Amino acid sequence: MPDCLFCKIIDGTIPSEKIFENEEFLAFKDINPQSPVHILIIPKKHLAKLSDCGNDEKEILSGLLLTANNVAKEIGIAESGYRVAINSGDDGGQLVHHLHLHLMGGGKLDGRMA
Ligand code: AMP
Ligand code: ZN
């Protein structure tokens, strides 16, 4: 097991505000929210970054998006709208090296990602 912040959140060594959990994924509140709703969705399997993923990770990658959408529905922001983002690698601004998806919403978001 790598010395990984999000693996420690998964195993409970580091506390988090959990929003959703199943066998494969965990969703919890970002500690430094950039929007009224800012949730991180992570696979329980340690994968360092999106660019390490390939065909073997098809289910995990589709599951991340579907979990984000389900969480958005569950907390009532699916209709008002939300943004998902994945930072991969240094130029992408990735700070935590465990694949994670940002789910942001709960109000009009500033700026555009693209
Ligand atoms: P990234 O820059 O894409 O790697 O994003 C990492 C995110 O993890 C940032 O938005 C941080 O605020 C968030 N973060 C760091 N430590 C924690 C923590 N202990 N609990 C929840 N979120 C965290
Ligand atoms: Zn990890």
Side-chain angles (χ1 to χ4, degrees):
M1 156 103 49
D3 186 25
C4 169
L5 176 67
F6 286 174
C7 282
K8 288 177 182 164
I9 283 180
I10 291 164
D11 72 20
T13 319
I14 290 176
S16 67
E17 284 192 65
K18 288 181 190 173
I19 301 287
F20 170 82
E21 182 169 18
N22 66 11
E23 274 191 12
E24 293 171 302
F25 301 102
L26 175 66
F28 56 97
K29 288 189 185 176
D30 194 293
I31 205 167
N32 183 23
Q34 303 299 309
S35 47
V37 171
H38 188 169
I39 292 167
L40 300 174
I41 322 274
I42 64 175
K44 289 191 172 175
K45 178 178 178 187
H46 178 88
L47 294 159
K49 57 185 187 297
L50 181 59
S51 60
D52 289 342
C53 297
N55 283 337
D56 287 350
E57 283 73 43
K58 263 183 192 167
E59 283 189 22
I60 285 180
L61 293 178
S62 56
L64 265 185
L65 273 177
L66 292 170
T67 302
N69 195 34
N70 287 338
V71 168
K73 286 179 185 168
E74 201 60 41
I75 63 175
I77 62 164
E79 289 310 315
S80 52
Y82 61 82
R83 178 178 293 160
V84 297
I86 296 176
N87 300 323
S88 184
D90 288 343
D91 283 1
Q94 185 178 5
L95 298 175
V96 178
H97 298 285
H98 180 125
L99 176 64
H100 54 280
L101 177 151
H102 297 257
L103 169 63
M104 289 169 287
K108 193 81 177 165
L109 300 174
D110 288 339
R112 295 190 58 86
M113 302 288 291

